[in-house]
Amino acid sequence: MISFFICLALLIGGYFTYGSLVDRTFGPDDRETPAVKINDGVDYMVLPQWKLFMIQLLNIAGLGPIFGALSGALWGPVVFLWITFGTIFAGAVHDYFSGMLSERNEGASISEISGIYLGGTMKNVMRVFSVVLLIMVGTVFAVGPAGLIQLLFSNGGSTGILTNKLFWLVLILVYYFIATFLSIDKIIGKIYPVFGICLIIMAVGVAVGIFTKGYVIPEIWNNFTNMHPQGTPIWSFMFITVACGAISGFHATQSPLMARCMKSEKQGHFVFYGAMVSEGIIALVWAAAGCAIYTGADLLAMGGGGSTTVYDVCSKTMGGVGIALAMLGVIACPITSGDTAFRSARLVLADWFHIEQKSIKGRLMLCIPVLGIGAILGVGNALGKIDYTIIWRYFSWTNQTLAMIVLWAASMYLFYEKKNYWITAVPATFMSAVSITYFMLGNECLGQFLNHKTADGAVVYNTAVAYPVGIIAAALFLGIFLYSIKKRDVKPQYETLGK
């Protein structure tokens, strides 16, 4: 329990200390922001700072810090360390720079930012990668809640259309279209702060319930070992599994939404770094709940950190109120991640093909195909015609790989600005090792060829190959970065939305 409070204090202190260092390194000033300069009344407009923070928190959080942290508890309280230090030195730094670099480049999407600092090839790769990822995320976050609502009505004794998954999917997709099409203050600006507050209340309620219901959070120093019931290695599975609770590349696709709505650059520390620290705190609470309430075997039997576990945790820590919050969380939070995923996909395409978004025609040109593809995939899944669950397994790895690329782009920016690029180069190197190692070990990646199973079905991971390859690859990426900056003595060609 003491180690939990130490990690909590470190996260809060990290915001005021290391977060301030990151902010000073970037150097926000009084220049005119995109929200003021462009202000198209749709995507670019000034929003109050508290709304910026709450929308950013729900954009990047949703169920990420809940599912990932609960699954991370399978490895025991050692997960507290990754959530704490990963948030302070990697995740919050990543979110800050993805937001502030977008702000400095007229609110450009992360694919355009990557192109500015890492070259045209990387820009095109990131364009395709981002759109595919965002549509996939948006579609999954429509199908999942539709299934949960259907189940809720079915278990409640309802019949007819209310128990039809396709009906609820269509309603969610209609909402997605409206939220993607309308100006950001019409729906997202109004409902996101409410659901963001619910997310925080749910985490506070769980934390209070842990202590008032007599649960004991295990100490890191008494359990500093791999406690996963299947013996799955900590490196790099835990780092990939926790994902949004420590660092997530998906956040880089969301930060430009708020970069287009800031009145001042000096809001970046609170909005971007602060929202990620808040997400880290939420993840720490849920990881603590997983470690305190369940054994690893119990948690695994419940499916890890899924909806069933969230429901059970809320029920045990908060009773009837917790059950209501759990249902709200597992239904509303995915939906609020899905709508901004489709909105981000629209903006990436707008930046890519230089399609203005102030007019109704410009938005319809992108909303219709983006939501159309999502509808085809979603309806196909609801009817049992399309199974993209295998593709979804790649999300955790591609998510962290995207974070790695963004950190390298930020490192190049800091080099060009003659600033301390090590604050991003070090976590970029670390995440390179994480991503490459997992690519070698994950059964959905090369692990299917390198790993083998024993007679009883247990997986034996080929760490003897994967670990050295991951370390060598990370060192190689760092070497390429250091070599490339020696060869560059001019600033990059800034390709902003204004051109």
Side-chain angles (χ1 to χ4, degrees):
M1 189 172 297
I2 295 175
S3 55
F4 167 79
F5 283 109
I6 291 175
C7 289
L8 180 61
L10 286 172
L11 280 167
I12 296 172
Y15 168 78
F16 292 102
T17 56
Y18 197 73
S20 296
L21 172 64
V22 170
D23 194 44
R24 289 196 303 272
T25 300
F26 179 82
D29 54 36
D30 295 321
R31 72 183 66 192
E32 193 175 43
T33 64
V36 176
K37 180 180 179 181
I38 300 174
N39 198 344
D40 63 0
V42 179
D43 299 307
Y44 293 83
M45 63 177 62
V46 174
L47 293 178
Q49 181 169 282
W50 73 272
K51 277 195 175 183
L52 292 171
F53 174 84
M54 295 304 300
I55 295 172
Q56 174 71 5
L57 176 61
L58 204 58
N59 275 354
I60 66 174
L63 284 178
I66 299 176
F67 283 0
L70 279 173
S71 298
L74 286 165
W75 283 273
V78 68
V79 72
F80 298 168
L81 296 176
W82 171 231
I83 291 173
T84 301
F85 294 107
T87 295
I88 295 171
F89 297 108
V93 175
H94 166 275
D95 289 12
Y96 178 87
F97 276 97
S98 62
M100 295 304 287
L101 290 182
S102 174
E103 193 279 333
R104 280 280 170 97
N105 289 277
E106 298 187 1
S109 302
I110 195 59
S111 54
E112 309 304 304
I113 297 299
S114 299
I116 291 172
Y117 302 109
L118 298 180
T121 299
M122 184 58 69
K123 176 172 65 176
N124 290 324
V125 169
M126 290 288 284
R127 281 170 168 172
V128 175
F129 182 84
S130 297
V131 172
V132 171
L133 177 66
L134 288 166
I135 291 177
M136 182 177 68
V137 169
T139 304
V140 171
F141 282 162
V143 172
L148 288 171
I149 298 173
Q150 173 207 23
L151 185 63
L152 181 64
F153 278 98
S154 297
N155 291 342
S158 299
T159 57
I161 196 171
L162 294 179
T163 61
N164 188 307
K165 181 179 179 180
L166 185 59
F167 169 74
W168 292 108
L169 176 63
V170 171
L171 283 185
I172 292 172
L173 287 173
V174 169
Y175 160 74
Y176 279 1
F177 182 87
I178 295 171
T180 302
F181 177 80
L182 293 180
S183 61
I184 197 165
D185 63 325
K186 290 295 188 292
I187 295 181
I188 293 175
K190 287 183 171 60
I191 68 171
Y192 265 48
V194 176
F195 287 125
I197 292 171
C198 290
L199 186 68
I200 294 171
I201 291 174
M202 189 158 58
V204 172
V206 169
V208 172
I210 292 173
F211 298 109
T212 59
K213 301 294 184 180
Y215 296 108
V216 178
I217 302 173
E219 304 292 3
I220 297 173
W221 44 80
N222 294 333
N223 303 274
F224 196 70
T225 183
N226 183 0
M227 300 179 67
H228 197 290
Q230 294 180 336
T232 304
I234 291 176
W235 180 263
S236 61
F237 285 88
M238 185 185 75
F239 298 85
I240 290 288
T241 301
V242 173
C244 296
I247 181 172
S248 169
F250 176 69
H251 298 182
T253 67
Q254 303 301 294
S255 293
L257 294 179
M258 291 302 94
R260 301 177 184 216
C261 299
M262 293 166 54
K263 183 178 182 179
S264 168
E265 282 194 348
K266 295 176 182 178
Q267 296 174 323
H269 178 215
F270 178 67
V271 173
F272 299 121
Y273 199 98
M276 183 58 220
V277 168
S278 298
E279 182 171 3
I281 292 172
I282 293 171
L284 182 66
V285 169
W286 283 95
C291 291
I293 298 174
Y294 311 104
T295 65
D298 292 338
L299 194 56
L300 193 63
M302 295 183 69
S307 300
T308 302
T309 312
V310 174
Y311 183 92
D312 192 59
V313 169
C314 289
S315 176
K316 288 178 176 177
T317 55
M318 293 181 285
V321 175
I323 293 174
L325 284 172
M327 293 311 299
L328 176 66
V330 298
I331 292 173
C333 287
I335 292 175
T336 55
S337 294
D339 57 6
T340 50
F342 279 117
R343 190 180 189 92
S344 296
R346 170 173 70 81
L347 295 176
V348 171
L349 289 170
D351 289 353
W352 186 350
F353 296 105
H354 305 289
I355 301 174
E356 59 84 24
Q357 294 296 283
K358 185 175 182 178
S359 69
I360 293 176
K361 178 182 177 181
R363 278 173 279 156
L364 285 176
M365 284 177 60
L366 298 178
C367 284
I368 291 174
V370 165
L371 270 297
I373 295 172
I376 292 171
L377 293 174
V379 171
N381 178 266
L383 297 176
K385 302 295 184 181
I386 299 175
D387 181 8
Y388 51 77
T389 55
I390 295 176
I391 299 175
W392 181 247
R393 289 183 208 157
Y394 288 90
F395 172 72
S396 57
W397 173 71
T398 53
N399 188 43
Q400 303 304 60
T401 301
L402 178 58
M404 171 193 78
I405 295 171
V406 173
L407 284 168
W408 283 123
S411 300
M412 191 61 72
Y413 162 80
L414 290 173
F415 160 72
Y416 282 126
E417 295 296 318
K418 296 180 173 58
K419 296 179 179 179
N420 178 18
Y421 50 75
W422 288 109
I423 63 172
T424 50
V426 170
T429 304
F430 182 84
M431 292 310 300
S432 298
V434 168
S435 183
I436 299 300
T437 302
Y438 185 82
F439 183 73
M440 300 294 293
L441 288 176
N443 286 326
E444 66 272 21
C445 301
L446 287 184
Q448 60 184 302
F449 306 109
L450 298 177
N451 304 330
H452 68 276
K453 291 186 177 180
T454 61
D456 60 357
V459 179
V460 178
Y461 295 97
N462 194 343
T463 56
V465 173
Y467 286 1
V469 169
I471 293 172
I472 292 171
L476 179 63
F477 289 166
L478 178 60
I480 292 173
F481 170 74
L482 295 175
Y483 176 78
S484 65
I485 63 177
K486 288 184 179 180
K487 297 294 182 179
R488 300 188 186 191
D489 56 1
V490 295
K491 286 184 178 291
Q493 168 122 17
Y494 286 86
E495 303 170 335
T496 59
L497 295 179
K499 291 187 176 182

